[in-house]
Amino acid sequence: MPLDQRFKGVGAALITPFDEQNAIDYPGLKRLIDLVTEGGSDYLVVQGTTGESPTVNSREKREILAFTIKNNSKSLPIVYGLGGNDTQSVLDCIKETDFTGVDAILSVCPYYNKPTQEGIIAHFTAIADASPVPVLLYNVPGRTVINMKPDTIIALAGHANIIGIKDAGGSIEQSMELASRVPDDFLLLSGDDNLVTTMVSVGWHGVISVIANAFPKEFGELTWHALEGRFKEAAKLQLAFLEFDTLLYVESNPVGIKKCLEIKGICSSAVRLPLLKASQALGEKLEKAMVREGFI
C-alpha cells in the first residue's frame, strides 16, 4: 500500500473559538477555517488537543465537525480527534459517529491509567478494528505520561487500518529510529512545530501544527521547503519561529495561539477553565514577536 499522500505536509490542528460566554463562536470558526485553507494547509485536524477537546462536550464535538465539513471550501482532507483512556468508551463513540466527510481519526495514547506497552497495543488494535476510517496514532507523553515506544509503534504499524503517527515526544533519537524501522507506507507526522525541519531531514512526512492556525502560509512554506529538500530555506523559517514557538506554550496550549488569532482579528482568545486567557505580559511578548518577524 502506498503512503497516504492526503496527510503529507501540514495539518492545521484547529483551535475551538469561544465567545466571552464560553459558547462556540461559529463565525470565528468560519474565519479560522478560511484562514488556514486559503493559507495553504494541506488538511484539517478537528478536535485534537489544540481544539480543547477535554472541555468540549460530545454534542459540541459533533456540531464542530459538521460545521467544519460544511465550510471546508477547498474540500481538504479532515482528521477527527477521537480517542481516550477508556477503550470501550472510544469504541462506543466510534459506533455513534457519522464519518461522512471524515478521512481519518487521530487517537491519543491512553492517559492517566498508565497502561503497559502491551495494553497500548491492545487499545489501539481494538480501535483500528472498529474504525471505518484509517487511524493515526498520537503519542504525546507530556500530556499522557506514557511514551509509546518504537517497538510498540512498529507492532501497530502492521495493522492494515493504522496508517501513521503524530509524535510529540520531542525525542530526535526516537524519531530517527522510527524513520529507519517503519514500513514505507507508514506516515510519520511531527507533533512538535519546532522540530519539523529536523524530523523531515531524517525521513518524516510533515506536521500536525499548532502554529498553522495563525500562520498557515509561513508554516506551510517552511514544511514544504523541507519536504522538497530545500533545507537552507526551511531552516531560516524554522529559526524565525523558534522564540515564538516557545512563547506559545508558556501558559499552556492553546492559550498562546488563541492570543495570536485575537491579535489578527480572527477570534477571541477565550479558553475554557481550567485554562485561563493569555496574560497581558504574554500577549505583549507574542505581539512583539509577531511584528519583529513580519507575521503581522
Side-chain angles (χ1 to χ4, degrees):
M1 182 185 300
L3 188 80
D4 196 325
Q5 298 292 322
R6 293 175 298 174
F7 310 114
K8 190 173 181 180
V10 179
L14 299 177
I15 62 106
T16 300
F18 301 122
D19 62 25
E20 296 304 322
Q21 286 72 47
N22 267 331
I24 309 296
D25 170 18
Y26 285 104
L29 181 56
K30 174 66 164 60
R31 289 190 293 272
L32 175 67
I33 294 168
D34 289 345
L35 175 68
V36 299
T37 54
E38 294 301 323
S41 292
D42 299 290
Y43 58 99
L44 306 176
V45 180
V46 180
Q47 281 302 294
T49 305
T50 303
E52 291 178 76
S53 53
T55 53
V56 175
N57 65 43
S58 57
R59 174 187 57 80
E60 291 172 325
K61 283 182 169 69
R62 291 192 298 270
E63 292 174 354
I64 290 167
L65 176 62
F67 185 88
T68 304
I69 292 170
K70 181 180 179 181
N71 289 278
N72 180 14
S73 61
K74 291 195 172 183
S75 299
L76 298 181
I78 289 180
V79 176
Y80 184 46
L82 204 164
N85 66 332
D86 175 358
T87 308
Q88 187 57 53
S89 291
V90 177
L91 299 180
D92 292 343
C93 189
I94 288 172
K95 290 179 183 178
E96 296 163 4
T97 298
D98 178 2
F99 286 92
T100 304
V102 175
D103 296 278
I105 63 171
L106 178 67
S107 198
V108 70
C109 184
Y111 44 86
Y112 197 77
N113 311 58
K114 298 181 73 173
T116 62
Q117 297 294 306
E118 291 78 9
I120 293 171
I121 291 172
H123 171 83
F124 281 119
T125 298
I127 289 171
D129 286 345
S131 177
V133 297
V135 177
L136 290 166
L137 309 173
Y138 181 19
N139 186 39
V140 56
R143 288 182 179 269
T144 65
V145 190
I146 297 291
N147 178 47
M148 294 175 64
K149 294 181 179 179
D151 285 346
T152 300
I153 297 165
I154 299 300
L156 288 167
H159 194 292
N161 205 32
I162 297 176
I163 63 168
I165 186 168
K166 172 188 177 183
D167 192 289
S171 170
I172 297 302
E173 291 82 2
Q174 179 157 316
S175 299
M176 293 172 68
E177 182 175 353
L178 286 173
S180 70
R181 294 182 60 196
V182 297
D184 291 341
D185 62 352
F186 192 74
L187 281 155
L188 295 171
L189 305 171
S190 175
D192 293 306
D193 285 342
N194 63 337
L195 294 179
V196 175
T197 302
T198 302
M199 293 172 81
V200 169
S201 75
V202 296
W204 285 55
H205 305 110
V207 59
I208 293 179
S209 170
V210 174
I211 289 176
N213 277 278
F215 313 106
K217 180 178 181 294
E218 296 85 352
F219 215 76
E221 288 175 354
L222 183 164
T223 303
W224 280 100
H225 279 321
L227 285 168
E228 293 172 355
R230 297 185 296 273
F231 289 106
K232 184 176 180 179
E233 293 89 341
K236 183 177 180 180
L237 284 166
Q238 190 80 75
L239 292 172
F241 275 113
L242 185 59
E243 178 191 1
F244 181 80
D245 184 80
T246 301
L247 287 172
L248 287 181
Y249 305 101
V250 169
E251 296 178 7
S252 195
N253 185 44
V255 172
I257 197 65
K258 279 194 161 184
K259 184 62 182 179
C260 294
L261 287 163
E262 184 175 75
I263 292 168
K264 293 190 71 167
I266 301 299
C267 61
S268 165
S269 62
V271 290
R272 285 181 174 174
L273 288 171
L275 297 181
L276 296 173
K277 292 175 79 170
S279 65
Q280 181 176 344
L282 177 59
E284 290 172 354
K285 289 177 181 178
L286 285 167
E287 186 164 10
K288 182 178 179 181
M290 290 165 69
V291 171
R292 184 182 65 245
E293 299 298 342
F295 295 153
I296 53 173

